[in-house]
Amino acid sequence: MKISLADVQATLNLGIKLGQTLTPGTVILLEGDLGAGKTTLVQGIGQGLGITESIVSPTFTLINEYTQGHIPLYHLDLYRLEPSEVTGLNLESYWEGIEIEPGIVAIEWAERMPYQPECYLCVRLSYDDNGTRQADITGLHCNISELIAKI
């Protein structure tokens, strides 16, 4: 499904709706060029989850955990990593709930992952010819139609 995002606020609003709709264990793989709105979308997800803490891209820390919302939010950024380095992070512990409370897992630069979870949403953010952002949302082994109906 493609969604047109007129401005930054529209990207934030999409994230808020996702945060209000998604369930624990949901993994969102975020793809798009620098400045396409990946972090803005995650900020909206955090707002939708009731997180009041400032959400920033974990470019250098790799993983930020926000646990004070209705559901925990795990925000990962793989921009600085090579696929071989990603393997050592044991990312599956986030979506499998191993030693970590199940939450929403949002992964920026997901195309750098050498493996993916069995079930996930992929959100590809891009610009069209008019400079408007587009969000292309697809799912693997997820019932995306139910999710989209709520957005």
Side-chain angles (χ1 to χ4, degrees):
M1 166 174 212
K2 288 192 180 204
I3 300 172
S4 180
L5 303 169
D7 54 23
V8 172
Q9 188 60 50
T11 304
L12 194 64
N13 290 341
L14 174 60
I16 291 169
K17 289 177 185 175
L18 287 170
Q20 294 168 339
T21 306
L22 298 175
T23 58
T26 301
V27 178
I28 306 168
L29 305 182
L30 297 160
E31 299 177 359
D33 293 335
L34 282 171
K38 297 179 294 293
T39 300
T40 300
L41 187 72
V42 176
Q43 290 168 339
I45 292 169
Q47 286 183 29
L49 293 171
I51 296 170
T52 57
E53 186 178 347
S54 178
I55 294 176
V56 296
S57 183
T59 302
F60 295 102
T61 58
L62 303 179
I63 302 169
N64 286 339
E65 299 180 358
Y66 304 94
T67 57
Q68 81 276 19
H70 307 301
I71 300 170
L73 173 62
Y74 306 109
H75 184 192
L76 295 80
D77 188 328
L78 307 179
Y79 179 72
R80 297 182 325 112
L81 300 179
E82 295 297 323
S84 60
E85 296 172 301
V86 173
T87 303
L89 295 176
N90 297 317
L91 299 181
E92 62 276 4
S93 64
Y94 283 94
W95 57 75
E96 292 176 357
I98 299 170
E99 299 181 16
I100 296 171
E101 181 181 355
I104 307 300
V105 182
I107 305 172
E108 294 190 35
W109 299 96
E111 59 270 23
R112 296 174 190 248
M113 294 174 64
Y115 58 90
Q116 285 81 31
E118 291 181 18
C119 174
Y120 61 84
L121 290 176
C122 181
V123 180
R124 289 180 185 88
L125 296 165
S126 61
Y127 288 98
D128 66 14
D129 294 336
N130 300 325
T132 302
R133 285 185 182 152
Q134 298 286 323
D136 185 8
I137 304 174
T138 57
L140 180 68
H141 301 134
C142 304
N143 192 344
I144 191 167
S145 57
E146 281 185 24
L147 171 68
I148 298 303
K150 295 177 183 178
I151 294 180

